[in-house]
Amino acid sequence: MLESCELYILAAVIVLYFAGKAYIRHYYDKLYWTWDNGADDYDLKRVKIDTSDLSFPRGFKWGVATAAHQIEGGCDNNNWAEWEKTSFPDGTPHIRGFHRAGQACDHWNRVDEDVNLMKELGVNSYRMSIEWSKIEPKQGQYDRSVVDHYHREFDALLQKGIQPCVTFHHFTHPTWFEQKGSFEHEENIDIFVQFCVRMFEEYSSQVKMWATINEPEVIVTNGWMTGLFPPGKKDFQLAGVVMKNVLEAHVRAYHAIKMLPAGQSPYIQVGIVKDIFQFDPWNPLNPLDIFFARMIHKSFNQCIIDYFKTGVFEWYMPGSAYVKYENKKAIKAMDFIGLNYYSHFHVKFRFAWPRPFGLVHLPGCLINDYPFPIYPEGLYRALMYLKEELNLPIVVTENGVADAQDDRRPIGIRRYIYALSKAIRDGADVRGYFHWSLMDNYEWHEGYHIKFGLCDTDFATQKRTIRPSGRYYQSVVKRFSH
């Protein structure tokens, strides 16, 4: 009898082992597509995806993207300019290699050259930001020469058949706004809204697509949790408050613009830009991997999406932070949702405190210079996620590959564009795609070490040279420019 029980237990263990192994295989098969021919572990033939099998709707926006602080030069009166001058308590510079944005790409003085570069690439749209600290160097004092500069830039774009898409806040704001506590204080929200309204009234005849805030979760995570971005704090409760205020700033700015006569035009589109990284459990059978993956997804992605679905914001970090806020005006307070997509992580539990998990990648995956995996499947997943959650028009406002040698970016673009096309075929209402970036530029805390450009930038001479990846993107744009 005992031997019989032991046999049953052994049989059950064997069945569970192989069932678990089959489930894990199925789990990873759903996360990763087949990009090459060959045989898998089970000697089943794999047939590669045809990345030239693409289709896009008429009127699709093909563009490139940049941000003012990263390319213009002379942005010396904002929160990042101050951050670049100082170091962490241990003496490590805030910016890798003690780099400062400084002259950057000197775009401020080379607008015509860069617009011609975009025209050569064939794009019909350009996502950019306007630098608040230059426009309003002191609170309430607007620099007319700067305002006029952007008028001339928009005119130069429109004359070449390129539609500008403008972001009000792309990580930077004036030093005086930082000194007021920026988005830590709810009373500062209206200062930002006033800037948005004034700029919209100034430029609405030239600019039809607007984004209020770029990547609220990146601002909050790096500024108030990891301390990598200004103001360099590590306070999870305050991070939740800042996230609530940043999202509320978008909602108020959106409704303020939509109340203006020009804002009521059907041609005016106002949205917010959300960065999405997927956080998948390393082992889908490990409850701790699952728990921490879901917790990070909730705080980084889902709490923001839920706010725009339900009007309820809830920020929860077990044992350290809880913020809840309700505003029904937030429900679908956007005409489109901007998606920035770069990569994903696997979440793996570990016995460590205060961070009992690691963010890891599968061995052997194609890695960029950051280093993050090049993961086109994730772009598809993010687009379908936004389709299901918000059911609004989507614009891919950033997607790119950090690759100084340009030996992975071409295949990355090819695969990402295939994933984009597949999402559209499967019902996602995607209206445009902006590649990050037009040219190599200042990459925030990484300084000038990371290269995202379709065009190489020689910072000594400011010469721009279109890379092979740029020529490939040019050919895609040409193919689908109806």
Side-chain angles (χ1 to χ4, degrees), residues 393-404:
I394 306 166
V395 177
V396 179
T397 38
E398 290 181 27
N399 173 239
V401 177
D403 177 14

Side-chain angles (χ1 to χ4, degrees), residues 265-328:
S265 166
Y267 299 105
I268 295 293
Q269 301 288 300
V270 182
I272 189 170
V273 172
K274 173 77 182 78
D275 174 64
I276 289 180
F277 271 71
Q278 290 93 9
F279 298 93
D280 299 308
W282 174 257
N283 181 347
L285 297 177
N286 185 330
L288 292 172
D289 289 1
I290 294 170
F291 171 79
F292 286 109
R294 289 178 177 176
M295 183 194 75
I296 300 168
H297 170 70
K298 171 73 174 176
S299 61
F300 193 85
N301 297 319
Q302 195 64 47
C303 71
I304 297 172
I305 299 302
D306 284 345
Y307 184 54
F308 293 122
K309 282 177 62 180
T310 68
V312 177
F313 171 77
E314 190 170 23
W315 170 273
Y316 174 61
M317 292 287 174
S320 60
Y322 183 73
V323 177
K324 189 171 183 179
Y325 176 76
E326 183 172 346
N327 180 4
K328 294 302 181 182

Side-chain angles (χ1 to χ4, degrees), residues 225-468:
M225 294 177 72
T226 67
L228 286 175
F229 283 14
K233 297 183 179 181
K234 297 181 180 181
D235 184 330
F236 285 16
Q237 180 67 23
L238 184 57
V241 172
V242 174
M243 181 77 87
K244 182 268 289 185
N245 288 339
V246 169
L247 297 179
E248 178 67 8
H250 161 77
V251 173
R252 292 190 197 178
Y254 174 81
H255 287 294
I257 289 171
K258 287 297 179 177
M259 289 180 65
L260 299 171
Q264 297 172 26
S265 166
Y267 299 105
I268 295 293
Q269 301 288 300
V270 182
I272 189 170
V273 172
K274 173 77 182 78
D275 174 64
I276 289 180
F277 271 71
Q278 290 93 9
F279 298 93
D280 299 308
W282 174 257
N283 181 347
L285 297 177
N286 185 330
L288 292 172
D289 289 1
I290 294 170
F291 171 79
F292 286 109
R294 289 178 177 176
M295 183 194 75
I296 300 168
H297 170 70
K298 171 73 174 176
S299 61
F300 193 85
N301 297 319
Q302 195 64 47
C303 71
I304 297 172
I305 299 302
D306 284 345
Y307 184 54
F308 293 122
K309 282 177 62 180
T310 68
V312 177
F313 171 77
E314 190 170 23
W315 170 273
Y316 174 61
M317 292 287 174
S320 60
Y322 183 73
V323 177
K324 189 171 183 179
Y325 176 76
E326 183 172 346
N327 180 4
K328 294 302 181 182
K329 290 184 178 180
I331 299 174
K332 291 197 173 182
M334 62 189 76
D335 303 312
F336 71 93
I337 178 74
L339 169 64
N340 290 358
Y341 189 81
Y342 289 97
S343 192
H344 76 138
F345 293 108
H346 285 287
V347 181
K348 188 175 185 178
F349 171 75
R350 62 184 183 183
F351 290 98
W353 189 258
R355 183 174 164 179
F357 59 85
L359 300 178
V360 298
H361 307 306
L362 285 184
C365 59
L366 189 61
I367 296 286
N368 66 24
D369 290 347
Y370 234 106
F372 295 152
I374 297 171
Y375 184 57
E377 298 92 326
L379 176 59
Y380 174 86
R381 291 173 62 193
L383 290 168
M384 301 310 289
Y385 166 71
L386 291 175
K387 170 185 178 294
E388 295 300 323
E389 293 286 330
L390 293 176
N391 194 29
L392 287 167
I394 306 166
V395 177
V396 179
T397 38
E398 290 181 27
N399 173 239
V401 177
D403 177 14
Q405 301 302 315
D406 205 45
D407 56 4
R408 288 147 291 164
R409 188 179 295 109
I411 196 169
I413 294 175
R414 184 182 296 274
R415 292 177 178 180
Y416 278 120
I417 289 177
Y418 172 84
L420 175 69
S421 175
K422 177 175 169 55
I424 293 171
R425 287 176 179 174
D426 290 347
D429 184 10
V430 186
R431 305 289 179 88
Y433 174 90
F434 292 81
H435 187 85
W436 185 273
S437 178
L438 169 64
M439 54 193 166
D440 295 337
N441 53 52
Y442 179 79
E443 185 53 32
W444 306 112
H445 65 290
E446 292 287 349
Y448 289 103
H449 294 282
I450 298 295
K451 312 293 186 183
F452 272 102
L454 293 173
C455 302
D456 170 80
T457 305
D458 182 335
F459 291 102
T461 64
Q462 293 295 346
K463 181 182 179 182
R464 286 85 152 116
T465 305
I466 298 177
R467 291 185 165 115

